[in-house]
Amino acid sequence: MTRRTAAHLDATGWAGALTVRADEHDLPAPVRDQLLVAVEACGVCHRDLIDREGRIRFLRLPIVPGHEASGRVLQVGPDTQGFSPGDRVATLHRDHCGVCDACLAGETTVCDRAASVLGLTIDGGYASHLLAPERVFYRVPDQLDAPTAAVLHCTLGTAWRGLVTQAGLRSGQHALITGANGGVGHAAVLLAKSLGATVTAVIRDDAHQDFVASLGADQILVDPGDTFHKRLGRRRADVVLDTVGATTFNASLRSLRVGGRLVTVGNIVDARVELNLGYIITFGIRVIGSSGASGADMEALLSWLGSHPIGLRIARTLELSRADEAQRLLRRGGLEGRVVLVP
Ligand SMILES: [Zn+2]
Ligand SMILES: [Zn+2]
């Protein structure tokens, strides 16, 4: 018998609590290609709030939230190929089928046959133990601490896929990052600097100026509205990584040089944007939607970090028993870096 703890979301919305329950159970034995992982840390992400609000239609209830977990493999199912007990792992958002055209091309983040989506269709990482197919995991080096390993994929991984894989950001180019104090935003500033780019960081509240400056941003624009493009100066951006969404989308678009790339990775508020298609056509702008990173992206990122260490910022670390409080903290906004739960 082992004591297992997990936070359960029984209904969508903010009226009820996210209840944390502990019970004594035998650990579930992994079947097929599953891994049983002892969770060491789990990030709390804006997507968790979107899930909780019921904005994603395939959410299965009740569910254990969390798609940003790190830990150590305890047991492996009989059909697993890539992992052994004792391996240090962290999660991607979901599995992939491995045989569709997207998967064969290595584009596993756009596999449309993924069946296991952490925190949405299968129980996630707000727990002491996590049982999921091996394709949900990637291997992490021992020297990465547990909170950093937990949030690496959804923050730096998202930034890597957006800036490097999708937009081809190179040394000497100009990157603009919105929501630069947030989990993904601050990671994107750190990564773009480490790649040798000039970075403009956009924040909504001047309280975050010192924090964003400490990340190395070359220019900081404080803009509670959506007019930062008017203050950008003459050098437009080659790449914009927009982590905010509807409220910043058009200013992001207008921050780009001719032929620039807008990578959109987040949409905090549930709103639509009005789009001047002529602007995109005339200026030859590419708008790229991107979510998370593939296993190959993570391998490339980890290899880059081996020679270019990046210190991700963890805003708060809370006990798993405070999962509900952690989500409400994130919902209030204004955090600098990620919130992490530890079981
Ligand atoms: Zn996330
Ligand atoms: Zn596939």
Side-chain angles (χ1 to χ4, degrees), residues 64 116 141 228 311:
V64 177
S116 301
F228 53 86

Side-chain angles (χ1 to χ4, degrees), residues 96-104 107-108 110-114:
H96 59 275
C97 79
V99 296
C100 72
D101 287 348
C103 283
L104 292 176
E107 296 294 324
T108 54
V110 290
C111 170
D112 64 2
R113 297 190 211 163

Side-chain angles (χ1 to χ4, degrees), residues 12-26:
T12 55
W14 295 95
L18 183 63
T19 47
V20 179
R21 301 197 280 270
D23 47 38
E24 299 281 332
H25 270 306
D26 289 329

Side-chain angles (χ1 to χ4, degrees), residues 202-254:
V202 179
I203 51 178
R204 295 176 75 77
D205 185 339
D206 62 10
H208 302 302
Q209 287 224 51
D210 289 347
F211 173 69
V212 175
S214 78
L215 305 174
D218 301 283
Q219 177 176 219
I220 301 169
L221 300 177
V222 182
D223 184 5
D226 55 0
T227 56
F228 53 86
H229 59 291
K230 293 181 180 165
R231 291 187 288 122
L232 186 55
R234 292 187 59 183
R235 189 177 175 200
R236 317 305 286 175
D238 299 282
V239 176
V240 172
L241 189 88
D242 190 356
T243 75
V244 179
T247 45
T248 48
F249 185 88
N250 272 300
S252 291
L253 207 61
R254 283 164 175 75

Side-chain angles (χ1 to χ4, degrees), residues 169-170 172-176 197-200 219 232 235-240 255-256:
L169 180 68
R170 295 190 308 276
Q173 291 191 327
H174 180 194
L176 181 143
T198 299
V199 177
T200 297
Q219 177 176 219
L232 186 55
R235 189 177 175 200
R236 317 305 286 175
D238 299 282
V239 176
V240 172
S255 298
L256 286 165

Side-chain angles (χ1 to χ4, degrees), residues 44-48 67-68 93 154-155 338:
V44 179
C45 175
H46 258 287
R47 208 208 79 200
D48 301 351
H67 57 271
E68 303 182 5
H93 288 159
C154 205
T155 59
R338 233 350 163 237

